Amino acid sequence: MDDSLSRLTPQQWTRLAERVRAEQPPTSGKPARPAGPPVPRAHPAGPRPATHTQEQLWFLSRLTAGVPNYNVPFRFDLEGPLEPHHLHAALRAVVRRHDALRTELRPHPDGLRQVVLAEVPVELPVRDLSRHEDPRAAADARCFELARTVFDLGTAPLWRFELLRLDARGERHVLVWIASHTIADGGAVSVLLDEVGAAYAALAAGRDVGLPDPGPQLTDYAVRQRAALTPGETERLTAYWRRRLDGYDGLRLDYDRPSPAGALPAGRTVRFTVPPGLRRRAVDLARKHSGSPFMVLLAAYQVLLARLARRGDVATALPLACRDTPGFERVLGSLTNTVVIRTDTGDGACFATVLDRVREAVLGAMEHQDLPFGKLVEELRPARRGRTNPITETIFSYGGTPATLGWTPLGDSVRAGCRGMSNDTVRFDFELVLDDTPDGLTGRFEYDSDRIDAASAHRICDAYTGILRAALDRPEAPLPDLWGEESGRSLLPLPAWSAVPAGAQDAALPGGPAPGTGGAPRTEAERAVARIWSAALDRDALERDADFFALGGYSMLAVDVIAAVNEEFGTDLSVMQIFETSSVAALARAAENAAGAGGPGGADDAGGPGSPGSPRSPGGSGGPGGGPGAVAAELLDQVERMSDDEVARALERLRDTP
């Protein structure tokens, strides 16, 4: 393999591999991914539908104000004598070229719409940090503060810039760009930086900007996405993912503490560096297996998960850029979709075998990447366990975009280095992000600090590096040898978590029924809940340990069920309650407790609005824990698991809401 291929991003490498496959004779048994329909263009004055991702994020933002989970935060380290006024002009020129940078989202009778404004203000405030004792530390703190910006998705622009000056000579700056994930992703950053660099160079040389036509826009992508996802194509994609994920039941780790009820996850981040020698050796091993370094790094993470969970069947979510459709490679917008990579690490497998399996899983996922993740969750109906994400508890991200792999020139005397940032939010139980930069491979382990201790997070980072090193030393060795196990004792610095058996963990959920306590409902409360479920799910004779989601329940139906329960019991339970107590008996017990306590808000015992059997007065606490934080947590969990169809129905309900 040519040395230049080692620097390709995962999507570039896979697109190349698919083209090679397409050139193979039919006997290869590996058909190329079918070509999509021609690129339709959204009429400038016509409807501009939102993408599936935009629909979910818009709904989430309406219900969880103040949560910056879905930002795309980047910093550009600028070296050289910068002219801020030329940079400002370059930014204005790029914003004029791309619809996404002038887009706001608005509800419409036909669904959520992208509204592209003719002009938006392009501000570039300059903050002088040169007099700080440590300007670089001050810049880091300011970057983090900006990364937690919360955007109103109904008001463009859905991004902000700020320029930080680090020295008196004006030769060291940091340009911060924070954008909503509804209009940007990692691929969009590369487009932005390339065009800003070209525009700055032209302006510094006294020339007109004169950039070429940008081609299809994000609005065009939304039209293409909806045209391509026909019922037949949806069924084909769903069938593939159903086969791939059939029987998978999660890692089921018990962590350091149980999940607190009704609270937003408190994210924290541990940063580490992968030794440079390991990055080079990962390139060499990838060559031998016709893969990419990204696949080696992902395989090492799958091996780590197998050791954490003591399972030979593990899966992780993986965000894909989805930029391999001809015509859309350079769209400035958010095209990302999430897929699931499931890997068999059992049967005495060695790392080389796991790597081959990961390679095939990644290629298959990229060939079937067009099914929105929310639609996949709706089709599979995975069992819910508290606020843990469905299907998989973790996600692996590789930040090896062209923008982060080198320096981008801004004229002859200034260059820009792109770096991803964290804002201490977490969407899964834990996440591993690897950034390929000119300085080497850096890692960020982001985790839910309500359930995971900092010491455990540090141990996991150390263990990942240790597994990667051992795998590169001995790729043909059995996995237990890589874990350093001798006489049944692991030498890896892993947290003392255990993988809880499925039945035991389900029973351990808050208010869950004990094993072997099924049968017909026993109390009036259980019979009332069973009647409500039977009507909602169109099922008869429900047992007391029946699980709402296993019976076909889904997010929006849960809203109706909880509303009916609250009306029946005179309570004010939140939707989060059914995720935490998803059996008939458990939900009945929660309803009885809430009614007996005067509702979640703890009204007095003397009757009135909070007493048993009485409806709660408006403005109650909104569920366990009370307050807007509990409501936000409930809705965050709910909406992240909604399919596109469920979101569309929810948008219909909210369309006339002030």
Side-chain angles (χ1 to χ4, degrees):
M1 184 183 295
D2 190 295
D3 286 346
S4 62
L5 297 184
S6 68
R7 305 300 284 180
L8 294 180
T9 66
Q11 284 72 32
Q12 291 171 328
W13 187 93
T14 303
R15 190 165 57 215
L16 175 62
E18 289 178 349
R19 289 176 181 172
V20 171
R21 284 180 173 183
E23 294 171 1
Q24 293 176 343
T27 55
S28 67
K30 290 182 178 288
R33 182 182 175 190
V39 177
R41 301 298 296 267
H43 192 278
R48 300 184 179 200
T51 67
H52 296 300
T53 297
Q54 286 176 329
E55 284 188 333
Q56 285 196 310
L57 295 182
W58 182 86
F59 187 53
L60 179 64
S61 73
R62 288 289 300 267
L63 301 177
T64 57
V67 180
N69 281 27
Y70 296 96
N71 282 355
V72 179
F74 277 86
R75 60 182 286 169
F76 307 105
D77 294 324
L78 306 178
E79 296 183 356
L82 182 74
E83 297 288 347
H85 64 285
H86 286 328
L87 178 60
H88 196 181
L91 294 174
R92 288 197 298 266
V94 172
V95 169
R96 284 194 296 269
R97 289 167 48 79
H98 295 283
D99 288 357
L101 298 180
R102 306 188 314 279
T103 290
E104 56 193 27
L105 301 177
R106 297 180 189 170
H108 184 273
D110 294 326
L112 188 67
R113 286 294 183 262
Q114 299 183 70
V115 177
V116 181
L117 306 185
E119 297 285 342
V120 295
V122 181
E123 299 178 354
L124 182 63
V126 179
R127 184 177 294 255
D128 189 353
L129 304 178
S130 62
R131 297 187 180 183
H132 280 256
E133 181 178 353
D134 187 345
R136 180 65 63 178
D140 292 344
R142 179 57 179 166
C143 286
F144 178 79
E145 181 181 358
L146 291 171
R148 295 186 64 82
T149 297
V150 176
F151 293 99
D152 173 6
L153 300 186
T155 305
L158 301 180
W159 48 262
R160 65 183 296 183
F161 291 107
E162 186 164 303
L163 184 63
L164 309 178
R165 181 171 177 164
L166 304 187
D167 69 338
R169 294 169 58 87
E171 296 184 351
R172 291 193 302 130
H173 294 80
V174 174
L175 174 64
V176 187
W177 185 48
I178 313 298
S180 164
H181 194 22
T182 59
I183 57 98
D185 58 16
V189 174
S190 296
V191 177
L192 177 83
L193 185 56
D194 286 348
E195 293 195 1
V196 169
Y200 181 93
L203 293 167
R207 304 190 308 269
D208 290 336
V209 171
L211 294 175
D213 182 83
Q217 302 277 354
L218 183 59
T219 47
D220 302 318
Y221 178 77
V223 172
R224 186 264 175 195
Q225 183 184 53
R226 294 181 181 279
L229 204 60
T230 62
E233 179 66 359
T234 299
E235 177 57 33
R236 183 185 74 84
L237 295 172
T238 301
Y240 170 83
W241 287 110
R242 193 182 299 278
R243 289 193 304 272
R244 284 291 305 167
L245 300 175
D246 182 48
Y248 184 69
D249 200 31
L251 300 175
R252 293 183 171 271
L253 297 168
D254 63 357
Y255 303 126
D256 297 310
R257 287 175 300 280
S259 172
L264 282 170
R268 294 292 183 270
T269 303
V270 172
R271 294 169 177 82
F272 64 99
T273 300
V274 176
L278 298 187
R279 171 63 171 80
R280 292 191 295 269
R281 293 166 60 197
V283 172
D284 294 337
L285 183 61
R287 288 180 186 147
K288 296 177 182 178
H289 289 262
S290 301
S292 69
F294 150 74
M295 295 176 182
V296 175
L297 301 171
L298 173 57
Y301 190 56
Q302 298 283 60
V303 171
L304 171 62
L305 296 179
R307 173 59 186 83
L308 275 172
R310 293 289 186 177
R311 295 171 64 103
D313 181 16
V314 297
T316 181
L318 179 72
L320 295 182
C322 298
R323 291 177 175 267
D324 56 347
T325 301
F328 290 99
E329 299 93 338
R330 299 282 297 174
V331 169
L332 201 158
S334 179
L335 278 60
T336 304
N337 188 33
T338 300
V339 298
V340 180
I341 304 300
R342 182 182 185 182
T343 306
D344 178 5
T345 61
D347 298 327
C350 64
F351 184 78
T353 298
V354 172
L355 174 57
D356 290 338
R357 292 170 181 172
V358 165
R359 174 185 176 276
E360 290 304 310
V362 170
L363 290 176
M366 289 184 172
E367 290 174 354
H368 299 84
Q369 65 186 1
D370 292 332
L371 184 68
F373 185 70
K375 189 71 172 176
L376 173 64
V377 172
E378 179 190 12
E379 293 293 336
L380 296 185
R381 302 286 189 217
R384 280 299 317 269
R385 294 183 293 275
R387 74 185 188 195
T388 291
N389 271 271
I391 303 179
T392 177
E393 301 92 330
T394 184
I395 185 169
F396 176 89
S397 301
Y398 176 76
T401 68
T404 65
L405 291 173
W407 291 89
T408 300
L410 277 67
D412 296 329
S413 56
V414 180
R415 65 177 188 170
C418 179
R419 306 288 185 272
M421 299 189 297
S422 173
N423 63 359
D424 273 2
T425 58
V426 64
R427 291 162 290 179
F428 287 73
D429 293 0
F430 55 94
E431 313 178 13
L432 179 62
V433 181
L434 295 179
D435 292 316
D436 218 346
T437 75
D439 298 328
L441 195 61
T442 62
R444 302 198 308 268
F445 184 76
E446 301 173 348
Y447 62 98
D448 180 355
S449 62
D450 287 335
R451 291 185 280 177
I452 299 174
D453 288 331
S456 295
H458 282 279
R459 291 189 187 104
I460 290 174
C461 295
D462 292 341
Y464 177 76
T465 303
I467 286 174
L468 180 60
R469 178 183 290 108
L472 296 172
D473 286 342
R474 297 185 295 163
E476 305 296 335
L479 295 186
D481 291 353
L482 304 187
W483 298 328
E485 293 190 338
E486 297 178 357
S487 302
R489 182 173 60 88
S490 175
L491 302 180
L492 285 177
L494 286 168
W497 299 341
S498 60
V500 181
Q505 190 179 55
D506 290 340
L509 290 175
T517 57
R522 299 174 182 175
T523 67
E524 282 301 321
E526 290 181 6
R527 286 188 281 272
V529 170
R531 286 195 301 272
I532 293 169
W533 285 23
S534 293
L537 298 167
D538 193 22
R539 288 175 176 266
D540 297 325
L542 295 182
E543 296 195 349
R544 63 192 305 271
D545 61 354
D547 182 89
F548 177 77
F549 297 99
L551 293 173
Y554 52 89
S555 300
M556 288 309 300
L557 189 59
V559 175
D560 296 334
V561 165
I562 288 297
V565 169
N566 284 333
E567 182 177 357
E568 176 75 21
F569 288 87
T571 54
D572 193 14
L573 297 175
S574 71
V575 176
M576 186 64 178
Q577 189 68 60
I578 201 168
F579 293 114
E580 296 181 337
T581 54
S582 59
S583 73
V584 168
L587 184 57
R589 189 179 310 123
E592 284 185 307
N593 291 340
D604 58 41
D605 296 331
S611 61
S614 300
R616 290 283 308 250
S617 61
S621 67
V631 176
E634 160 207 329
L635 296 170
L636 176 65
D637 277 344
Q638 174 191 338
V639 176
E640 283 183 329
R641 293 159 178 82
M642 290 169 58
S643 72
D644 301 317
D645 292 341
E646 292 171 331
V647 170
R649 291 193 292 270
L651 296 181
E652 180 68 30
R653 297 182 184 188
L654 288 177
R655 187 161 294 126
D656 299 324
T657 301

